């Protein structure tokens, strides 16, 4: 994916006065309740509709790969960071 988002509010229904708060709320809602019938990624939309367990596993995998916080642990003996 290239970061595009498929939401009418942000495309054809866009109004300049909506503001950043409205954009963030729209994205938040899309993350909570995705719309598989209007998915930008057709494969993911189909998986969500037809095989939810597989969709959930794939979503968890992508979260583990791309959204985990990497903590830097300080070494008390050497004084240097170890990841």
């Amino acid at each position: 994916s290239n970061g595009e988002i498929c939401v009418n509010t942000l495309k054809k229904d866009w109004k300049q006065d909506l503001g950043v708060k409205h954009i963030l709320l729209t994205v938040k809602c899309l993350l909570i309740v995705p719309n598989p019938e209007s998915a930008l990624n057709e494969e993911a939309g189909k998986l969500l509709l037809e095989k939810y367990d597989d969709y959930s596993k794939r979503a968890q995998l992508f979260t583990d790969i791309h959204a985990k916080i990497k903590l830097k642990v300080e070494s008390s003996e050497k004084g240097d960071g170890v990841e």
Side-chain angles (χ1 to χ4, degrees):
S1 177
N2 60 4
E4 289 184 41
I5 189 166
C6 186
V7 178
N8 285 337
T9 304
L10 302 179
K11 292 188 176 194
K12 70 178 185 174
D13 297 335
W14 174 252
K15 295 180 182 99
Q16 202 171 20
D17 61 332
L18 291 177
V20 174
K21 183 177 179 180
H22 182 79
I23 293 169
L24 294 175
L25 182 59
T26 301
V27 172
K28 178 182 175 183
C29 290
L30 185 61
L31 291 170
I32 294 169
V33 184
N35 182 1
E37 288 89 12
S38 180
L40 191 59
N41 179 332
E42 290 180 33
E43 180 185 353
K46 185 175 180 182
L47 202 57
L48 176 58
L49 286 171
E50 297 175 1
K51 297 179 181 178
Y52 181 79
D53 289 340
D54 291 345
Y55 170 84
S56 181
K57 288 176 187 173
R58 185 173 293 180
Q60 185 61 55
L61 174 65
F62 277 85
T63 301
D64 291 343
I65 292 170
H66 299 289
K68 290 287 182 169
I69 297 173
K70 295 180 183 176
L71 298 176
K72 191 172 186 177
V73 179
E74 296 293 327
S75 171
S76 58
E77 294 175 15
K78 296 180 182 178
D80 59 358
V82 178
E83 291 188 36

